[in-house]
Amino acid sequence: MNYNSEKNNKVYLYGEIVSEAKFSHEVYGEGFYEFLVKVMRLSGQADILPVTVSERIMTESMGVGSHVCALGQFRSYNKLEDGKSRLMLTVFVRELLDEQQGKNPNSIVLSGYVCKPPVYRTTPFNREIADLLIAVNRSYNKSDYIPAIAWGRNARFVRNLAVGDRVALSGRIQSREYQKKQPDESFLTMTAYEVSISKLAAFDDDSEFDIDEEFELYSNSRVCHGEE
């Protein structure tokens, strides 16, 4: 991975493992496993996030009930379900760490391109929300497609963005349950993952914008995001 693509997508996560590790896939003989991690919010609620780890850095202590602290990236891939392609998201761990005391346990910094027209709306309580889909470049000509949600003044800023605009943002990864109607009229509970934006900027030129200077990954744990 080159330096620029590494800067474009950075995640810091600390939480409790709440599911058994299951084999996910293999690349050039290296196996990868996926499990769920519960990360607490300041509000007392929790986000349950999918995490993918290489067998080469997994340890025997990484079982249900143990905690994991990691640096990585928020990645996407397409999975075929019932003949339809579904966008899947996971925190891809690149390095395991000791717990960083006083740090926000769920932090992400992204830089990429708006790849769909933003969707702006207001709630019945007149709260402003905007949905954004960002294409984040990765090595080997790959891209990750990351959904994000903005609130308040950030939502007003997002609604004026156009496809192709370049943005940088920081926030946290959140999980959200929703009901999906089935052909037999029943409802299936699904989980969506997205970035809740706390800070956002648009820019044109790398030489005029340094994401490391503008956005701090290891934000203080007292900082609130989005709806908290």
Side-chain angles (χ1 to χ4, degrees), residues 41 43 45 47 127 149 151 172 174 196 225-228:
R41 300 184 190 178
S43 64
Q45 294 181 309
D47 292 297
R127 190 166 192 199
I149 186 167
W151 314 81
R172 73 151 195 276
Q174 68 179 18
S196 180
H225 296 301
E227 70 274 22
E228 288 187 342

Side-chain angles (χ1 to χ4, degrees), residues 14 23 57 67 129-130 138 140 173 210:
Y14 174 76
F23 180 78
I57 62 173
H67 286 75
I129 303 173
R138 206 200 306 170
Y140 309 110
I173 304 170
D210 189 322

Side-chain angles (χ1 to χ4, degrees), residues 52-66:
T52 301
V53 184
S54 166
E55 61 185 357
R56 297 180 183 178
I57 62 173
M58 286 185 68
T59 66
E60 293 182 358
S61 63
M62 292 172 67
V64 174
S66 65

Side-chain angles (χ1 to χ4, degrees), residues 59-122:
T59 66
E60 293 182 358
S61 63
M62 292 172 67
V64 174
S66 65
H67 286 75
V68 61
C69 185
L71 285 175
Q73 297 181 314
F74 199 29
R75 293 187 178 181
S76 70
Y77 62 96
N78 289 312
K79 182 179 181 181
L80 198 62
E81 290 186 347
D82 300 324
K84 296 181 179 179
S85 181
R86 183 184 174 201
L87 183 70
M88 308 295 289
L89 296 156
T90 187
V91 176
F92 184 85
V93 173
R94 303 188 68 241
E95 182 181 358
L96 293 174
L97 306 172
D98 294 327
E99 180 186 356
Q100 307 290 300
Q101 295 291 337
K103 304 301 182 184
N104 189 324
N106 183 348
S107 296
I108 182 168
V109 172
L110 291 177
S111 174
Y113 299 86
V114 178
C115 57
K116 288 180 65 176
V119 177
Y120 173 85
R121 62 193 189 279
T122 57

Side-chain angles (χ1 to χ4, degrees), residues 9-28:
N9 189 337
K10 298 184 292 185
V11 174
Y12 169 79
L13 206 66
Y14 174 76
E16 179 186 354
I17 298 173
V18 294
S19 74
E20 297 287 348
K22 294 182 179 180
F23 180 78
S24 173
H25 63 283
E26 182 177 298
V27 179
Y28 300 119

Side-chain angles (χ1 to χ4, degrees), residues 193-204:
Y193 305 101
E194 60 203 359
V195 175
S196 180
I197 298 171
S198 62
K199 186 178 179 182
L200 179 70
F203 67 102
D204 296 318

